[in-house]
Amino acid sequence: MHHLIRTLAILIFPLLAGCATGGGGKAEKGPVREPPDIKSTQRTLEPAARPIMAPVIPPPEAAPPRSAPPPPRSAPPPIKQACKVKKDSVEWVHISGACKNGYAHGAGRARSVDGRRSYAGMFVDGAFSGQGDYDWGNGVRYTGEFLNGRKSGFGTLAYPNNRKYTGGFKDNAYQGEGTYIDADGSKYAGAFESGNFHGLGTYTWASGDVYTGRFEANRMDGKGSYARTNGDRYVGEFKNNQMDGEGTYTWPNGDAYAGRFENDKMNGNGTYTYADGAKYSGEFKDGRKHGRGVLTVEPSEIKQLWWNGIKITEDRPTSTDSSQ
């Protein structure tokens, strides 16, 4: 009997020891925890401001608005028209300077018939041509080159509210390289076409945000970079003032996304890299994980399925270490 009890004890003890240690096999690692979704499920922020339309150059016929009729005043004394000045949008009277064949020619001065505008500079056959100074009389003033009565060449157009453009003109419109400063201090420096931001340029907002790249008809369009004062930065493609196409967006905390954008948001395939080195590659929609993807947390990979930023399923971690 004592022999039987001793035999059973020998058999049972290893079984109890095995249960206590989980069967004596190699313990499995716990599931790999996904790093917190700091930014990957949030939409990328859209630019804080948009490039605004370049101001329309006031046409000569645009007289300054008046809240009340001007007080009566005596008509200007008649001036003998020994020299004629060609009309632009108003009639002009020659004040001084040389004449040729009955028209102002060379350096001279003129004023509009209504007495509001003045011009001092060069004339050719009665038209403003060459270097001159044109004052609308309402705070708007142009100093620069003229051709056949129109602003053409290099010049500066200044407005009463501190807006100013300096650069090329053609047929009264901004053309070529120039710099435009808005009333709030925002500034564009670069190429112009037909009065618009068009081509390569840099727009600096009053907030300090800066875009450098291509413009088309006053809009960010093509390849460029956008840097925010808070440290965010985007380098890639733009369309109609929005991040659209391939690009890379980085945050000041070290996170980064590289892939497709559409309508200022992560849309399509891309890779989101966390500051701690974890990486998610997969599909995004409207700034959120949406569809299939793979989360890599070295040395493991986890296949996941997301729907509108909500994780639906994920597989067990697999090792990326080829030596195992």
Side-chain angles (χ1 to χ4, degrees):
M1 184 67 177
H2 290 289
H3 178 74
L4 178 59
I5 293 173
R6 187 167 55 252
T7 302
L8 290 174
I10 294 172
L11 293 174
I12 292 172
F13 182 79
L15 292 175
L16 294 175
C19 292
T21 59
K26 185 178 180 181
E28 292 185 3
K29 294 181 180 179
V32 178
R33 184 175 63 86
E34 181 178 0
D37 264 338
I38 300 173
K39 293 278 188 178
S40 65
T41 59
Q42 303 299 321
R43 70 179 182 89
T44 54
L45 302 175
E46 63 184 46
R50 305 297 192 197
I52 59 174
M53 294 287 289
V56 176
I57 298 173
E61 62 272 15
R66 296 179 180 273
S67 57
R73 61 179 181 178
S74 58
I79 299 175
K80 293 182 180 180
Q81 289 294 302
C83 278
K84 295 181 181 179
V85 176
K86 290 183 178 178
K87 174 182 177 181
D88 52 4
S89 61
V90 296
E91 299 285 350
W92 290 83
V93 176
H94 187 249
I95 301 297
S96 64
C99 290
K100 180 181 179 182
N101 299 327
Y103 286 94
H105 194 88
R109 300 176 65 88
R111 66 166 172 78
S112 60
V113 172
D114 63 11
R116 293 172 180 167
R117 307 180 189 195
S118 64
Y119 174 81
M122 299 300 296
F123 293 85
V124 174
D125 296 331
F128 311 140
S129 283
Q131 191 72 22
D133 185 288
Y134 190 121
D135 191 334
W136 274 260
N138 61 352
V140 180
R141 186 175 191 137
Y142 172 78
T143 302
E145 296 174 287
F146 290 82
L147 180 63
N148 296 327
R150 301 179 74 81
K151 294 178 281 294
S152 290
F154 185 85
T156 296
L157 183 64
Y159 298 85
N161 60 355
N162 295 323
R163 289 187 293 133
K164 184 171 73 173
Y165 170 82
T166 299
F169 286 82
K170 183 179 180 181
D171 200 24
N172 275 353
Y174 308 152
Q175 184 76 21
E177 293 295 314
T179 299
Y180 170 74
I181 300 175
D182 210 341
D184 65 354
S186 298
K187 182 173 76 172
Y188 171 83
F192 289 80
E193 184 175 303
S194 301
N196 297 320
F197 310 144
H198 196 93
L200 289 175
T202 296
Y203 194 101
T204 304
W205 280 263
S207 65
D209 289 2
V210 179
Y211 169 82
T212 299
R214 294 202 65 83
F215 287 81
E216 184 172 335
N218 284 337
R219 296 180 175 275
M220 300 181 290
D221 208 299
K223 292 184 177 180
S225 65
Y226 192 107
R228 300 175 186 275
T229 54
N230 68 355
D232 288 13
R233 181 177 175 83
Y234 172 79
V235 178
E237 296 175 295
F238 288 81
K239 183 178 180 181
N240 196 28
N241 265 359
Q242 295 182 324
M243 296 177 288
D244 200 302
E246 293 291 330
T248 299
Y249 197 105
T250 56
W251 287 267
N253 71 343
D255 287 5
Y257 169 83
R260 296 288 303 178
F261 286 81
E262 186 178 339
N263 299 326
D264 259 353
K265 298 177 182 179
M266 299 180 288
N267 267 297
N269 287 317
T271 297
Y272 192 102
T273 303
Y274 297 87
D276 64 3
K279 184 183 299 185
Y280 176 84
S281 297
E283 299 172 89
F284 291 80
K285 183 179 179 181
D286 294 333
R288 297 177 180 273
K289 296 175 183 176
H290 186 86
R292 298 187 180 279
V294 176
L295 176 70
T296 302
V297 182
E298 294 295 343
S300 299
E301 286 185 347
I302 308 171
K303 293 181 179 180
Q304 299 176 328
L305 177 64
W306 290 75
W307 182 267
N308 194 29
I310 299 174
K311 185 165 57 181
I312 305 301
T313 63
E314 67 176 24
D315 294 348
R316 293 180 63 82
T318 58
S319 177
T320 60
D321 190 350
S322 59
S323 64
Q324 293 183 0

